[in-house]
């Protein structure tokens, strides 16, 4: 069994073609031999019939036929009405009747008999005929050798030789055709073996003919392109995460070293406050990284109907004191999802808007075309059109935002977009007369048909 599993595709397909061709040739050979055998048997029966007809004609004229009938037969007997053999061929003279059966009056009889005592070594086709005469019914028996199933050794050898040659040609042809067809697969496999996690730039060659292997090579190259892009994003994400984690750690280390150099002159309350700020930033980054990890893994809490108007109102009423004015325009909108993650989406958008607003943040909620539309706008400097997708990359912050937004982690907007997408919606930046306008669209809840991604918790 192990050896069979280790056979190559080329060997298995070649063996399969050989087996199929062998069965086909065996069937054709059997048909050919049967046709020739039936034809030879028919010819033997015809000779026996002619010999009996000639002998019966002589008996009808009152003559007793002899073995020299002029037909190629092996045995001949004429039996009178009393059962006496009155004429026989030389090999049956003085012998009893060659056949145990009695021919019928009209149609006679014919049988193939083997192991006949008087004619040993072969099977015989025995034909018989009853001839009525005034003194009674006479019987005529003639016999000729029956042909074996293979007719002749020459015929059998010729058929076997031709079909063995045909099977060999088919097997060799199948081997070469499969080898030629699988050659691009071997090339693809060899090229794939050169690819490592540190070098994803290789691509497999695409064969010329448009067939399944061509499509396979194209699909492999597309997968490699996606994989390379994913690894690049992962490396960039790891690099950015390391940089953002190192910054608060470096700040805390510097503050502690300076305080320890001159402990008597150090302002320990101020140092502690600065370290707490750095720890708060470090904790925020770690929390956001864990959130992204759960979202990437598809984790989603228990889903239930959520009234977004109540959620937004509750969160805004219980938030810490706002540094800017929060304007609300909220309508009722019921969605199906994880309340905690929806709260996280809202707080991330509001925090981002507060950091960049000049004086006012506007939050609106409405229901449009089967979707809940949550818009968070600020009156800040806005976002250039060519940067509106970049801000959703992890740890990506615009240059002016890095100066004004030292407390951000660079993960809030990517988390918000991923939460919206996990709820079957979108998060985009839309045109605004002033500042930035973030719009989250989430399908409205339907009691009869909740969103498929929230029917059951995952993780």
């Amino acid at each position: 069994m192990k050896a069979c599993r280790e056979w190559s595709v080329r060997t298995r397909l070649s063996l399969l073609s050989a087996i199929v061709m062998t069965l086909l040739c065996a069937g054709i050979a059997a048909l050919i031999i049967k046709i020739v055998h039936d034809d030879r048997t028919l010819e033997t029966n015809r000779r026996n019939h002619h010999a009996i007809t000639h002998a019966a004609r002589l008996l009808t004229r009152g003559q007793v036929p002899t073995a020299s009938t002029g037909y190629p037969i092996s045995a001949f007997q004429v039996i009178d009405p009393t059962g006496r053999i009155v004429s026989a061929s030389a090999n049956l003279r003085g012998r009893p009747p060659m056949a145990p059966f009695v021919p019928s009056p009209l149609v006679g009889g014919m049988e193939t008999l083997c192991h006949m005592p008087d004619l040993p070594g072969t099977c015989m086709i025995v034909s018989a005929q009853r001839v009525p005469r005034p003194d009674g019914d006479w019987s005529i028996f003639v016999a000729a050798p029956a042909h074996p199933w293979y007719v002749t050794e020459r015929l059998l050898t010729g058929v076997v030789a031709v079909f063995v040659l045909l099977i060999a040609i088919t097997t060799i042809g199948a081997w070469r055709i499969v080898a030629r067809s699988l050659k691009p697969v071997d090339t693809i496999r060899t090229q794939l073996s050169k690819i490592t996690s540190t070098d994803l730039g290789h691509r497999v060659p695409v064969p010329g003919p448009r067939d399944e292997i061509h499509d396979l090579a194209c699909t492999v190259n597309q997968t490699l392109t996606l994989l390379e892009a994913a690894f690049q994003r992962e490396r960039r994400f790891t690099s950015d995460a390391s940089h953002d984690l190192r910054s608060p750690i470096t700040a805390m280390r510097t503050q502690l070293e300076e305080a320890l150099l001159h402990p008597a002159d150090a302002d320990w309350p101020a140092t502690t406050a600065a370290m707490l700020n750095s720890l708060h930033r470090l904790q925020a980054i770690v929390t956001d990284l864990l959130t992204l990890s759960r979202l990437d893994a598809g984790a989603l809490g228990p889903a239930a109907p959520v009234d977004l108007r109540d959620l937004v109102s509750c969160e805004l009423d219980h938030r810490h004191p706002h540094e800017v004015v929060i304007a609300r325009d909220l309508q009722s909108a019921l969605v199906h999802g994880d309340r905690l993650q929806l709260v996280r989406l809202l707080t991330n958008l509001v925090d981002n808007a507060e950091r960049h607003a000049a004086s006012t943040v506007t939050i609106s909620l409405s229901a449009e075309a089967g979707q809940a539309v949550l818009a968070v706008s600020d009156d800040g400097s806005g976002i250039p059109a060519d940067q509106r997708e970049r801000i959703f990359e992890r740890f990506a912050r615009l240059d002016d935002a890095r100066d004004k937004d030292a407390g951000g982690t660079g993960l809030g907007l990517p988390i918000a977009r991923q939460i919206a997408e996990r709820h079957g919606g979108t998060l985009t930046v839309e045109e605004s007369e002033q500042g930035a306008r973030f719009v989250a669209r989430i399908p409205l809840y339907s009691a009869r048909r909740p969103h498929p991604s929230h029917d059951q918790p995952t993780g």
Side-chain angles (χ1 to χ4, degrees):
M1 293 298 293
K2 182 178 180 181
C4 293
R5 288 195 298 269
E6 293 177 352
W7 285 356
S8 65
V9 174
R10 182 188 311 174
T11 303
R12 292 198 298 267
L13 291 179
S14 300
L15 181 60
L16 178 62
S17 65
I19 293 174
V20 172
M21 182 55 67
T22 300
L23 294 176
L24 180 62
C25 289
I28 296 176
L31 181 62
I32 291 175
I33 291 176
K34 184 178 185 306
I35 291 174
V36 175
H37 183 273
D38 291 347
D39 182 71
R40 294 292 180 87
T41 301
L42 182 63
E43 180 64 25
T44 300
N45 291 335
R46 188 181 295 113
R47 289 198 303 268
N48 286 354
H49 176 70
H50 289 166
I52 285 180
T53 302
H54 177 73
R57 190 180 300 114
L58 293 176
L59 280 176
T60 302
R61 296 174 184 174
Q63 302 176 10
V64 177
T66 62
S68 58
T69 59
Y71 296 96
I73 57 176
S74 299
F76 176 81
Q77 283 182 337
V78 178
I79 303 176
D80 65 9
T82 64
R84 184 174 61 89
I85 299 176
V86 297
S87 178
S89 57
N91 56 348
L92 291 181
R93 289 174 183 170
R95 308 300 298 174
M98 70 172 78
F101 65 91
V102 178
S104 62
L106 298 178
V107 297
M110 184 192 71
E111 290 187 13
T112 299
L113 302 178
C114 298
H115 309 294
M116 299 174 63
D118 299 325
L119 299 171
T122 183
C123 294
M124 306 294 288
I125 299 177
V126 180
S127 300
Q129 180 69 45
R130 293 177 65 176
V131 180
R133 292 185 56 176
D135 56 346
D137 291 342
W138 291 58
S139 299
I140 303 173
F141 290 88
V142 297
H147 298 283
W149 64 268
Y150 53 86
V151 185
T152 63
E153 293 183 357
R154 182 178 179 182
L155 174 64
L156 180 62
T157 302
V159 170
V160 171
V162 170
F163 285 124
V164 167
L165 180 62
L166 183 59
I167 292 170
I169 293 175
T170 301
T171 303
I172 295 173
W175 176 275
R176 292 186 175 181
I177 292 173
V178 173
R180 190 180 302 113
S181 300
L182 293 180
K183 186 176 181 181
V185 177
D186 292 335
T187 305
I188 292 173
R189 178 184 56 80
T190 302
Q191 195 68 16
L192 284 175
S193 65
K194 299 178 181 178
I195 298 175
T196 63
S197 60
T198 58
D199 183 12
L200 295 173
H202 290 282
R203 294 295 181 269
V204 300
V206 179
R210 183 64 185 270
D211 53 13
E212 291 81 359
I213 298 180
H214 176 279
D215 295 339
L216 172 64
C218 292
T219 302
V220 169
N221 284 337
Q222 293 173 1
T223 303
L224 289 175
T225 299
L226 295 175
L227 186 61
E228 184 179 17
F231 266 88
Q232 289 176 352
R233 288 195 302 268
E234 198 69 25
R235 283 195 290 264
R236 187 168 59 251
F237 173 75
T238 303
S239 176
D240 293 340
S242 300
H243 178 272
D244 278 48
L245 288 171
R246 188 169 58 247
S247 297
I249 295 174
T250 302
M252 289 188 293
R253 181 188 180 101
T254 301
Q255 292 160 1
L256 281 175
E257 288 177 347
E258 289 179 354
L260 290 175
L261 285 174
H262 307 285
D265 298 331
D267 187 353
W268 288 105
T271 301
T272 303
M275 291 186 62
L276 285 176
N277 288 334
S278 297
L279 285 173
H280 177 73
R281 175 172 170 75
L282 186 61
Q283 182 182 17
I285 294 174
V286 173
T287 300
D288 285 346
L289 287 174
L290 290 175
T291 300
L292 281 174
S293 177
R294 288 194 294 268
L295 290 173
D296 289 340
L300 188 67
V306 179
D307 189 335
L308 285 184
R309 182 175 63 179
D310 292 344
L311 182 148
V312 174
S313 298
C314 181
E315 290 301 315
L316 294 180
D317 291 342
H318 292 85
R319 280 176 66 88
H320 56 78
H322 304 294
E323 298 179 359
V324 296
V325 176
I326 303 292
R328 311 181 192 182
D329 181 13
L330 307 179
Q331 300 178 12
S332 179
L334 191 65
V335 299
H336 189 260
D338 183 351
R339 183 180 183 88
L340 293 179
Q341 290 196 4
L342 292 173
V343 168
R344 185 64 182 274
L345 183 151
L346 172 67
T347 55
N348 285 5
L349 293 180
V350 174
D351 287 344
N352 179 76
E354 286 185 339
R355 286 195 298 268
H356 296 87
S359 60
T360 305
V361 172
T362 303
I363 302 175
S364 65
L365 176 64
S366 61
E368 299 176 4
Q371 291 182 320
V373 181
L374 174 65
V376 179
S377 307
D378 62 71
D379 58 353
S381 59
I383 303 172
D386 59 344
Q387 299 291 323
R388 290 178 180 173
E389 281 301 314
R390 182 171 174 269
I391 61 175
F392 290 106
E393 297 178 4
R394 299 176 181 184
F395 290 109
R397 289 196 297 252
L398 305 185
D399 293 336
D400 59 343
R402 292 185 181 275
D403 298 332
K404 298 166 56 179
D405 183 21
T409 65
L411 296 173
L413 293 179
I415 290 175
R417 168 171 275 191
Q418 199 156 349
I419 291 174
E421 291 175 348
R422 286 290 299 162
H423 285 76
T426 60
L427 176 61
T428 57
V429 181
E430 297 186 358
E431 292 292 339
S432 177
E433 295 181 359
Q434 182 181 4
R437 173 181 168 83
F438 290 84
V439 180
R441 301 178 185 273
I442 299 175
L444 293 173
Y445 172 70
S446 172
R448 293 179 297 176
R449 190 180 181 183
H451 192 272
S453 64
H454 301 121
D455 291 342
Q456 294 180 354
T458 60

